[in-house]
Amino acid sequence: MANRFTFKFLIPLVALVFFTSFSSLASAKIPKNVHTLNEYNFSTPPGLETQVGFWKKVYSKYTTEYAIIHDVKDLGIIYEAVYLGDKTISRRARDRKLKKVKNKYIKILRRLASKKNKSILTGEEKRVHDLVKGGFYRAAKNIRAQIGQKDRFERGIHRSGRYIKQIRKIFNDYDLPEQLSALPHVESSFHEGAYSSAGAAGIWQFTRGTGRMFMRVRYDVDERRDPIFSTYAAAKLLKSNFERLQSWPLAITAYNHGTQGMHRAKRKYGDNLVKIIKSYKSRTFGFASRNFYAEFLAALHVSRNAKKYFPNVSLAKPINQISFRFDDYVHISSVIKHFGMSRKEISKYNPSLRNPVISGQKRIPQGFVFKTPVGRVASLAPLYQKISNSEKFNRQIRSKYYTVRRGDTLSGLALRFGTSVRKLKQRNGIGRRNRIYVGKVLKLPGKKSRRSKNSFRAVKAKTSTKNKVASSNGSYKVRRHDNLTKIAKRFNTNTAKLARLNGIKNPNSLYPGQTLVVTEAVVVAEASNTIVDSVSAEPTKTKGKSKAAKNNFKSKKSSTISSAKKEKSNPILARKPDISPGVKIQLASMNAPKYRMNTNRPAFLPVTFKSEKQKESGMGEITVDFDETISHYAEWAELSIGQIRKVNKLRRSSRIPVHAKIKVPFTKTDTEKFEERRQEFHKAIQDDFFSNYNVSKLVVRKVKKGETLWEICNDNNFIPFWLLSSYNPEKDIHTLALGEPIVIPIITPIKNKDS
């Protein structure tokens, strides 16, 4: 009876508990989606107060004329705020002053670490002792300088007025907290043209890889530069981060560190960001990632209280624009003519159009959303209709590049491609010396054209039979029934030399149309009073037979950059930067008269085919270059990522290291289009970099014990891996040996009044 009575009342009790539990789960789930995704309270979490307080000072107290000397781990330890000087003081002088102050505190901390009797400390030593309290030797290694940002932040608040209403509306449309609109203060101070040395661009500082997931990032258009296009992308990325991590502090940190990295940290330490910051160890989870959320909270606070910190600040007027989607490829000259806009205006209101489009080398692409300010015209549609069909195209202008080989000259290339030396120089920014080098990538003006018979006769007449000449540019196109022996006899050389110059392993692998380098000499003149310039191939008269002139005539290995003479020039530089004092230059290539980086770095290795069978099947092989991924190869070859993985037997988690060999099936496109797209990709990266940075200094030193490539590139501003490689062309920078000399370029941003 008792059991029956208990059972009778147990059923409704269990049902009640189940219903209550279910209701509580449901109610817990609803607030989590609403409260966390859309209305999260961005307050400072316990344990992060010191970091947030530090960044508030950076943003609201100290201008860029000051540097805060602090401990990299404990931001509560601030040794000193150093006045570096105003904008009239050179960067070098500021760096020297900063280095002197940092060294002062390093010495003090080391003395404190070695002193056993703390009662005999001097005034400054006692101040530092009471500030740090302990672990002095460790603290000496953790000294860092942070430049103040107050003036930049104030300018950022002013600039934010142009877009902030639109940004907040976009976030509302994506059901995201409006507070996220403060992130560009951290990333770029709302500077539209912001570009980091790591390749991040625009107000949201998207890298190329992440940007390609949400936007068009190409040679003609880079939507990262457009504040509104990139805001849509930022909303998608932030929402994706939150959906995966289910935490706004983690999702915001993932914006800097990456979603996968934060996912690993969450698996190990849970949702507590403060615990992750203190405990998570990763090579890439450095100072910037550890402090990113604290910076965001500080920026959010300062921007919300702008009038308190910047009493005279005002918001810029919002930019109101009308837009129209182009259905065709249209040249900028047609838009200038029919829209009544200048080239400068088109660039201003359409910042995602890259220089090749603005300069007219490329057309405005199909599908591009063109913008103009409200009030300029009532509607763009009627103006677009006025553009004639003859001015509308269904494809982009092809890029024409040529990679300089041994024996090439400007005059020979101009003749070969139906242009002039002057046009080649203008298009490629070549100076008075007419210097080109093996591996330099030249942009070709106009269309490639064949040489006429008359022009060929003119070249033949210029070069007498006494001169050892292969052709106007040292190359020969293989004809039917040719073999190495015939070609060697024709150009007075031997088969072994021909094979070496062209990397030929199988003498029977020649095919009609193949271009061979047939001589290392451009023109070896025998006339005693004529010197032939190795670049322009234009004769220069000399008054006598100087020793240098005789050596020039006798040299059989004269080339654009002679390997026999070990000509001391670095092809990737155009002005001589400062060499660190006291550093002995051990690399001959560093003693050149000119040292500024040229945007045309040595080209990547072209597509090769191991055999005739592979050539017929279209299975080519490439050598992986910097910044390239499987998705790039798939895009350039018009294939899927799965197809590239399959032919190379790669798993999803597989990484492709630089200089690795990758097979690419050319079944959907040819090698010429593939290499054109590949070249444009690298050109875009380098053009962007050198529009924003200079190489101001070179440091040549030995590789330290345990030093990694990552540490070398992050020693100052982030040095791109491709840039470091360009200054060390004969090294595999991924396999650096202890004590090996390495050339490190020190980069400085190009001054911009609005940056």
Side-chain angles (χ1 to χ4, degrees):
M1 185 74 177
N3 290 339
R4 187 180 300 175
F5 180 83
T6 306
F7 184 76
K8 180 179 179 180
F9 286 95
L10 187 61
I11 293 175
L13 183 62
V14 171
L16 180 63
V17 172
F18 177 79
F19 180 79
T20 305
S21 302
F22 180 82
S23 300
S24 62
L25 286 170
S27 61
K29 187 175 182 182
I30 292 171
K32 186 175 182 182
N33 287 333
V34 173
H35 199 61
T36 312
L37 178 63
N38 185 265
E39 298 176 359
Y40 183 74
N41 180 19
F42 289 98
S43 58
T44 302
L48 211 61
E49 296 90 349
T50 301
Q51 290 93 316
V52 174
F54 174 84
W55 291 107
K56 284 180 183 177
K57 291 177 183 177
V58 172
Y59 293 144
S60 64
K61 185 176 180 180
Y62 299 105
T63 68
T64 51
E65 296 176 351
Y66 288 84
I68 306 168
I69 311 299
H70 66 94
D71 188 275
V72 74
K73 295 288 180 65
D74 185 351
L75 298 187
I77 300 176
I78 297 177
Y79 297 100
E80 184 181 343
V82 185
Y83 178 67
L84 300 175
D86 58 22
K87 294 179 181 178
T88 61
I89 306 298
S90 70
R91 187 184 181 90
R92 194 181 306 169
R94 287 161 63 100
D95 288 345
R96 281 200 299 266
K97 187 172 185 178
L98 187 57
K99 187 175 182 179
K100 185 178 179 181
V101 176
K102 287 170 72 176
N103 286 337
K104 180 187 81 171
Y105 285 104
I106 290 172
K107 289 177 182 177
I108 290 174
L109 288 165
R110 285 177 177 172
R111 285 202 303 270
L112 289 173
S114 61
K115 281 187 178 181
K116 293 182 178 180
N117 187 359
K118 308 298 184 189
S119 61
I120 56 172
L121 299 178
T122 63
E124 187 70 349
E125 285 178 339
K126 189 175 187 313
R127 182 182 73 85
V128 174
H129 174 272
D130 294 343
L131 184 65
V132 179
K133 294 182 174 60
F136 302 109
Y137 188 74
R138 173 201 60 79
K141 293 182 178 181
N142 287 342
I143 287 182
R144 180 182 179 273
Q146 171 62 48
I147 303 297
Q149 301 290 310
K150 181 179 179 180
D151 47 343
R152 287 181 181 170
F153 203 98
E154 185 174 7
R155 291 198 298 269
I157 289 174
H158 174 74
R159 283 191 291 257
S160 69
R162 301 169 190 166
Y163 314 106
I164 196 67
K165 287 184 179 179
Q166 288 176 278
I167 290 173
R168 286 172 179 163
K169 183 182 181 303
I170 291 168
F171 281 4
N172 281 328
D173 291 343
Y174 278 84
D175 201 28
L176 298 174
E178 283 189 1
Q179 293 94 323
L180 296 174
S181 60
L183 264 176
H185 284 300
V186 179
E187 291 285 5
S188 65
S189 296
F190 276 89
H191 180 37
E192 299 92 329
Y195 183 88
S196 78
S197 58
I203 67 169
W204 290 98
Q205 288 291 281
F206 274 97
T207 60
R208 293 184 68 88
T210 306
R212 287 174 72 246
M213 296 166 61
F214 307 100
M215 297 172 282
R216 286 190 291 185
V217 183
R218 304 189 315 217
Y219 190 55
D220 53 1
V221 171
D222 187 347
E223 291 179 345
R224 297 178 302 163
R225 300 161 176 258
D226 188 291
I228 304 306
F229 287 160
S230 59
T231 296
Y232 280 105
K236 293 174 184 176
L237 176 58
L238 286 165
K239 191 166 188 174
S240 172
N241 285 354
F242 176 79
E243 287 171 349
R244 184 169 183 189
L245 298 167
Q246 291 295 303
S247 160
W248 271 122
L250 298 189
I252 290 172
T253 307
Y255 192 90
N256 176 273
H257 182 60
T259 318
Q260 189 62 34
M262 289 312 298
H263 188 64
R264 285 195 295 268
K266 181 180 177 179
R267 281 204 311 262
K268 201 167 184 179
Y269 298 104
D271 290 335
N272 191 328
L273 179 62
V274 176
K275 187 176 181 181
I276 289 173
I277 290 171
K278 290 181 178 178
S279 306
Y280 181 53
K281 305 295 182 184
S282 170
R283 186 187 67 173
T284 57
F285 195 68
F287 182 81
S289 295
R290 291 198 308 271
N291 283 273
F292 193 74
Y293 189 63
E295 288 183 68
F296 164 72
L297 292 177
L300 180 60
H301 169 82
V302 174
S303 60
R304 277 175 165 175
N305 298 275
K307 285 296 181 181
K308 174 185 174 182
Y309 296 108
F310 315 104
N312 300 319
V313 74
S314 62
L315 296 181
K317 291 182 179 179
I319 293 181
N320 296 316
Q321 299 172 318
I322 58 172
S323 58
F324 181 80
R325 185 182 183 276
F326 283 17
D327 294 328
D328 310 276
Y329 289 90
V330 181
H331 198 273
I332 193 171
S333 59
S334 300
V335 177
I336 291 170
K337 180 171 66 175
H338 294 285
F339 285 29
M341 297 177 71
S342 67
R343 203 177 295 266
K344 188 176 181 180
E345 286 176 319
I346 293 172
S347 178
K348 178 182 178 180
Y349 295 110
N350 298 275
S352 59
L353 291 177
R354 285 178 47 80
N355 185 61
V357 172
I358 300 300
S359 64
Q361 300 170 36
K362 294 278 187 180
R363 300 183 182 115
I364 298 173
Q366 186 181 50
F368 181 76
V369 179
F370 188 88
K371 298 177 183 178
T372 190
V374 171
R376 187 64 181 268
V377 292
S379 174
L380 290 173
L383 298 179
Y384 186 78
Q385 295 305 320
K386 288 183 180 180
I387 301 175
S388 64
N389 290 334
S390 61
E391 295 176 277
K392 296 175 180 176
F393 304 88
N394 59 6
R395 64 181 63 184
Q396 185 60 276
I397 297 172
R398 293 285 304 274
S399 295
K400 292 293 183 181
Y401 297 104
Y402 177 78
T403 304
V404 176
R405 302 175 182 178
R406 278 192 184 278
D408 282 343
T409 66
L410 280 179
S411 57
L413 292 174
L415 194 62
R416 176 178 174 185
F417 292 107
T419 185
S420 65
V421 172
R422 182 179 61 82
K423 286 182 179 179
L424 274 177
K425 289 172 64 178
Q426 286 178 346
R427 187 73 186 277
N428 295 279
I430 298 173
R432 293 181 180 179
R433 289 194 173 190
N434 293 356
R435 177 169 289 169
I436 58 175
Y437 55 88
V438 176
K440 180 179 176 68
V441 181
L442 297 179
K443 299 176 186 175
L444 301 178
K447 295 181 178 179
K448 176 180 174 179
S449 62
R450 294 183 179 180
R451 294 174 297 176
S452 65
K453 292 182 179 179
N454 291 334
S455 66
F456 183 80
R457 287 170 185 162
V459 173
K460 193 173 181 180
K462 266 187 178 182
T463 55
S464 66
T465 53
K466 290 184 179 181
N467 294 341
K468 298 176 184 178
V469 194
S471 64
S472 63
N473 66 345
S475 62
Y476 173 74
K477 188 168 283 189
V478 177
R479 304 170 186 172
R480 288 187 67 185
H481 308 302
D482 271 346
N483 56 45
L484 277 184
T485 304
K486 285 183 180 180
I487 297 170
K489 286 181 179 179
R490 185 174 298 160
F491 294 103
N492 194 25
T493 184
N494 57 64
T495 55
K497 189 175 181 180
L498 272 181
R500 178 178 58 81
L501 284 174
N502 294 278
I504 298 173
K505 295 181 179 179
N506 181 5
N508 299 319
S509 64
L510 297 185
Y511 55 90
Q514 181 180 2
T515 301
L516 297 181
V517 177
V518 292
T519 177
E520 290 181 327
V522 179
V523 178
V524 183
E526 292 184 355
S528 61
N529 64 339
T530 304
I531 297 177
V532 178
D533 188 284
S534 65
V535 175
S536 62
E538 294 173 357
T540 305
K541 299 291 180 181
T542 57
K543 292 183 179 180
K545 297 182 181 180
S546 67
K547 186 176 181 181
K550 289 178 182 179
N551 289 339
N552 195 8
F553 298 141
K554 290 179 181 179
S555 172
K556 294 185 180 180
K557 292 186 178 181
S558 171
S559 61
T560 308
I561 291 182
S562 172
S563 58
K565 293 180 181 180
K566 303 242 182 227
E567 184 179 344
K568 298 172 183 178
S569 69
N570 193 321
I572 54 179
L573 307 168
R575 123 179 126 72
K576 187 174 182 179
D578 302 313
I579 306 295
S580 288
V583 177
K584 184 177 180 181
I585 305 301
Q586 301 185 27
L587 303 180
S589 62
M590 293 308 303
N591 293 326
K594 291 197 171 186
Y595 276 118
R596 188 176 71 88
M597 179 81 175
N598 190 303
T599 53
N600 292 311
R601 74 184 179 99
F604 46 75
L605 297 174
V607 176
T608 58
F609 296 94
K610 283 188 175 181
S611 64
E612 194 65 30
K613 185 178 179 181
Q614 283 195 343
K615 184 177 179 64
E616 290 174 2
S617 67
M619 185 60 72
E621 188 177 77
I622 61 171
T623 303
V624 176
D625 204 346
F626 291 94
D627 300 310
E628 294 178 349
T629 64
I630 295 175
S631 64
H632 287 124
Y633 303 141
E635 180 185 335
W636 301 334
E638 299 177 15
L639 300 169
S640 68
I641 296 175
Q643 287 174 294
I644 302 290
R645 284 202 182 107
K646 185 177 180 181
V647 297
N648 291 280
K649 299 179 181 178
L650 295 172
R651 298 177 180 176
R652 285 182 176 271
S653 58
S654 299
R655 294 184 179 182
I656 49 170
V658 174
H659 303 143
K661 302 290 184 183
I662 291 288
K663 293 177 184 176
V664 177
F666 292 96
T667 54
K668 298 286 184 67
T669 187
D670 55 32
T671 57
E672 186 179 347
K673 285 183 180 178
F674 179 89
E675 291 189 349
E676 175 191 336
R677 293 162 180 164
R678 194 181 185 194
Q679 193 66 258
E680 285 182 348
F681 168 75
H682 288 286
K683 285 289 293 175
I685 292 174
Q686 294 162 41
D687 289 350
D688 285 345
F689 181 85
F690 288 106
S691 294
N692 293 277
Y693 289 89
N694 279 328
V695 175
S696 60
K697 187 177 181 181
L698 297 178
V699 174
V700 185
R701 63 170 176 80
K702 294 181 178 180
V703 176
K704 302 171 186 175
K705 185 176 181 180
E707 191 172 38
T708 65
L709 177 63
W710 179 268
E711 290 169 337
I712 292 172
C713 286
N714 281 274
D715 197 24
N716 284 275
N717 288 334
F718 179 80
I719 305 169
F721 295 123
W722 59 263
L723 183 66
L724 185 66
S725 177
S726 296
Y727 279 88
N728 300 272
E730 297 179 0
K731 289 185 173 67
D732 181 354
I733 61 173
H734 285 279
T735 57
L736 296 172
L738 175 64
E740 184 179 4
I742 184 170
V743 181
I744 302 174
I746 306 301
I747 62 173
T748 54
I750 295 173
K751 289 183 179 179
N752 186 314
K753 64 179 181 179
D754 199 34
S755 64

